[in-house]
Amino acid sequence: MGHRMLSHADAPGDAPIRAVVSELLWVIVPVGMVMTMLAMLLLGYSHALTLEERLVTRMQQVVTSRARLAGEPLWKMRHDQVAAIVEEILQVDPVVTGTVYDDTGAVIATAAKHGVPPANREVAAPIRYKNGLIEVAAGRLQITYSRETLWSQMRKEFALPAILAVVTGLAAILALKLAAHVYIGRPLKNLTDTIVRSRREGRHYRAVITTQNELGALARAFNELQEANAAALAKLASLASEDALTGLPNRRGLHEQLKRASGADAQERCNIAVHFIDLDDFKAINDTFGHETGDKFLIHVAEQLRLVIGPRDWIARLGGDEFIVVQRDAADEATARALARRILDAISKPFAIHDKKISARASMGIALASSVQDDLEQLPALADIALYHSKARGTGTVSVLSRTLLLAHSRARELEMALQQAFAEGQFEVWFQAQFDMQTGRVSGFEALARWRHPDHGLISPAEFLPLVEKTGNSGRLARFVIEQACQASARLLALGHAGLKIAVNLSPSELADSSLVDLVRLLCERHAVPPSALEIEITEGTLINAVADTSAVIQSLRGMGVSMALDDFGTGYSSLAYLRRFPIDKLKIDKAFIRNMPGDKGDVAVVEIIAMLASTLGLVVVAEGIEREEQIRAVRSMGLQIGQGFGLHRPEPFAGIEGFLAACEEETTATHLRAAG
Ligand code: C2E
Ligand code: CA
Ligand code: CA
């Protein structure tokens, strides 16, 4: 036997219980018995003493009275009379022998009882004769008597009390046992059983109160405790499934309700749509106005949602700025979309904070019950997938989960998982797309564009993998790779005798916020022996505006080194033109969207002309992106835009193709020159 471990097996209910009553009896019974016996012994002893005393006295009296009778006959020597007295003495019960001696000590008369137990006590009295005034000693009467009768009498007297004592003792024990069972054993067992059962079934059972004694009070107190615990647990449970800020069900509450709804009949189930709402500007509100205002704003949003949903619909808050609306009567996608619109409108209603009015924008994803089997609890996760899609499309959009979305999502997850391996195994490549001086027709530089050559999915475009790279925190790794490739390409170009060709590298917002970028660029330029002025960095318009504070120092340093800066996708963001003046940039890349419909779309032409004018005022070079057709080349040239880029001029390709491409360009321009000269 090793140590006794304190495990749950020691808890009441598992270990065998020894009744307290039995344990008490083990102590009470022997002690009681010993006490009773002692008492009886004491009683018997004292009784025996009394009886003995009485016997002695009686014998004394017998012998004295008979001695008085024998005085005269002895003195007068009437020996037959003396013998008669002696014979008579034998009639007295315990007397066994009687003997009369004269004053000389001679035996005058003696008698003995036969067939009786031997005598063991003797008692004597002097025999005197008295005549007138004289009194003389005539002799002595001696008797012996047995104490046997004393004992038999004792037995007779004590048998009944002893039996009675034993019987009452037993009865007392029985009564004790019964009482202990009723007043101690049963209440305790009740209580223990209730505790064990409560624990086993995880419910708060009440103990039955059977006595009014302390144990009854204990049971009552236990019941009160049970009630208090049940109430506390119920409160805790509701807290656990409730969002403390808005009082709406939280994630857990949502799942409980959806689980319940999963049990509803098919018709009910089919009509459920889950809307996933994500506020787009919440972080900004929190950062600008503080958390207290942020909380108020969330409560406001919850109220707006309550106002806009149907009587049978309900809302949950998943935490942060994520809300869920469960729509109960969304028979089809159109109904769900209609509610989503109303929700977006309600959320965007201005809300007064301090002296400002703010209105939030949100993105939404919807999943209809038809997209799951029976398990409605999956709907929020599916709606989240649709939401992810909405966010990629831009704020204020609503997407309904479809098969295509789901496939795209699972492909994205698959690619996300494959990213580490892609980096480790060098599956990324950098392709180059030429930029042309639109006036001379010569190549002025290249844009470095990342590609992922996936072993199963083939070539994957940056539009697809960049968000995953960003999400998994691998932007820096990719940027390092692309810059290194750009430096390498630049060094090769220099070696081939193509001086002055810039290579533009696209950088993600997070990269521009990282001050180590400056050292990285310097290091890589040094390593490949290329001047930093051979590099250009493209920043998308949104990035620049959103991260002004973080990035401008990095941009300044890079420019200080000679790296030029281009503002990419110009015209798609929401920066005001006034910003342009404040930012240290060298180039504007007009977004493809404005070039696409040129020169037919007069509006686009007007916008591009204005941008070109503004750029020349600010001394910025303008690049037209996405040039695909001959007429676009002519339009761009006629508008005086300096640089052009697009599939119509050159399609991105690996560096291996660039040397041949440059040679071909040279020949062509020479031919054109010759033709122009000729
Ligand atoms: P972007 O900076 O606007 O790059 C130009 C994109 O337009 C490239 O797509 C290019 O292949 C494409 N393009 C060029 N000429 C034409 C044309 O005539 N018509 C059309 N329709 N498209 C044309 P790509 O390579 O798929 O890159 C997509 C975007 O991914 C880029 O847009 C850029 O923002 C980003 N990106 C590419 N490489 C990198 C990189 O290494 N790092 C980062 N952070 N972003 C990159
Ligand atoms: Ca670019
Ligand atoms: Ca662009």
Side-chain angles (χ1 to χ4, degrees), residues 288-319:
T288 318
F289 301 102
H291 285 267
E292 206 177 310
T293 307
D295 284 354
K296 276 194 197 131
F297 183 70
L298 289 175
I299 295 170
H300 160 79
V301 169
E303 275 162 10
Q304 291 303 310
L305 289 177
R306 279 198 192 97
L307 290 177
V308 82
I309 60 168
R312 299 182 62 232
D313 306 341
W314 47 270
I315 320 165
R317 178 177 169 228
L318 298 192

Side-chain angles (χ1 to χ4, degrees), residues 326-600:
V326 176
Q327 189 180 7
R328 303 290 299 275
D329 305 301
D332 51 26
E333 190 179 319
T335 324
R337 277 187 185 276
L339 177 63
R341 273 288 134 217
R342 290 201 300 279
I343 288 173
L344 286 181
D345 288 348
I347 290 177
S348 64
K349 270 200 200 122
F351 170 63
I353 291 179
H354 308 302
D355 53 343
K356 287 204 166 65
K357 273 193 184 313
I358 52 169
S359 67
R361 287 173 303 176
S363 306
M364 285 182 63
I366 302 174
L368 301 167
S370 54
S371 53
V372 289
Q373 302 279 277
D374 285 337
D375 187 6
L376 298 178
E377 288 159 87
Q378 295 174 3
L379 285 177
L382 295 177
D384 192 17
I385 293 174
L387 172 70
Y388 185 80
H389 183 70
S390 288
K391 279 196 188 152
R393 282 167 55 208
T395 181
T397 41
V398 177
S399 310
V400 178
L401 185 83
S402 62
R403 229 188 112 62
T404 333
L405 267 190
L406 211 53
L407 282 176
H409 179 77
S410 62
R411 177 172 153 115
R413 293 292 76 75
E414 189 196 334
L415 292 184
E416 197 178 316
M417 309 255 260
L419 264 181
Q420 296 304 331
Q421 199 181 354
F423 277 108
E425 294 181 359
Q427 292 171 9
F428 288 102
E429 298 177 4
V430 174
W431 288 19
F432 297 87
Q433 184 180 29
Q435 296 181 336
F436 291 81
D437 183 321
M438 293 309 276
Q439 306 310 321
T440 64
R442 283 176 176 274
V443 173
S444 63
F446 292 90
E447 178 173 2
L449 296 162
R451 297 286 180 268
W452 177 4
R453 196 178 292 280
H454 191 284
D456 301 327
H457 299 293
L459 213 57
I460 301 172
S461 94
E464 185 173 8
F465 69 75
L466 280 176
L468 307 179
V469 169
E470 182 93 17
K471 189 176 160 205
T472 53
N474 282 304
S475 297
R477 210 166 167 186
L478 181 73
R480 209 175 313 131
F481 173 72
V482 177
I483 296 171
E484 172 119 56
Q485 294 288 304
C487 288
Q488 232 167 47
S490 186
R492 284 285 299 146
L493 289 177
L494 281 175
L496 290 170
H498 300 287
L501 294 183
K502 270 188 188 295
I503 297 197
V505 171
N506 295 281
L507 286 184
S508 72
S510 61
E511 279 325 294
L512 279 161
D514 184 354
S515 56
S516 69
L517 176 71
V518 181
D519 290 335
L520 178 74
V521 169
R522 187 181 295 121
L523 181 92
L524 292 178
C525 283
E526 276 168 16
R527 182 181 298 166
H528 295 278
V530 291
S533 58
L535 287 185
E536 182 162 84
I537 283 174
E538 296 193 4
I539 324 158
T540 51
E541 188 192 1
T543 322
L544 186 68
I545 302 314
N546 288 337
V548 183
D550 304 335
T551 54
S552 57
V554 176
I555 295 173
Q556 296 282 13
S557 315
L558 286 172
R559 268 189 106 217
M561 282 162 56
V563 179
S564 57
M565 293 287 152
L567 193 52
D568 205 355
D569 301 343
F570 188 74
T572 53
Y574 39 86
S575 59
S576 88
L577 294 178
Y579 272 102
L580 286 181
R581 242 160 42 88
R582 304 219 326 254
F583 285 107
I585 48 169
D586 308 278
K587 267 186 192 166
L588 277 189
K589 294 188 79 173
I590 299 176
D591 194 74
K592 305 191 251 303
F594 297 99
I595 309 296
R596 188 177 302 133
N597 301 320
M598 291 239 288

Side-chain angles (χ1 to χ4, degrees), residues 16-127:
I17 294 181
R18 281 193 307 186
V20 63
V21 175
S22 316
E23 294 195 326
L24 277 180
L25 282 180
W26 277 110
V27 182
I28 291 174
V29 170
V31 170
M33 293 286 214
V34 167
M35 297 291 277
T36 319
M37 267 169 57
L38 273 178
M40 279 177 62
L41 274 176
L42 226 72
L43 209 71
Y45 180 67
S46 82
H47 194 68
L49 280 185
T50 344
L51 281 180
E52 171 116 56
E53 235 168 68
R54 256 194 256 155
L55 187 63
V56 169
T57 325
R58 210 175 109 232
M59 289 300 112
Q60 211 92 52
Q61 283 171 350
V62 165
V63 89
T64 334
S65 66
R66 297 307 187 278
R68 210 179 295 134
L69 279 179
E72 195 177 330
L74 183 61
W75 187 257
K76 294 189 175 161
M77 297 181 72
R78 292 199 291 263
H79 288 173
D80 53 332
Q81 276 184 21
V82 173
I85 288 171
V86 171
E87 283 296 334
E88 190 267 338
I89 286 179
L90 291 188
Q91 301 304 307
V92 179
D93 192 20
V95 178
V96 179
T97 62
T99 311
V100 172
Y101 304 89
D102 65 8
D103 52 351
T104 65
V107 174
I108 302 301
T110 181
K113 242 186 231 167
H114 296 288
V116 292
N120 32 29
R121 286 288 145 105
E122 58 175 50
V123 59
I127 302 175

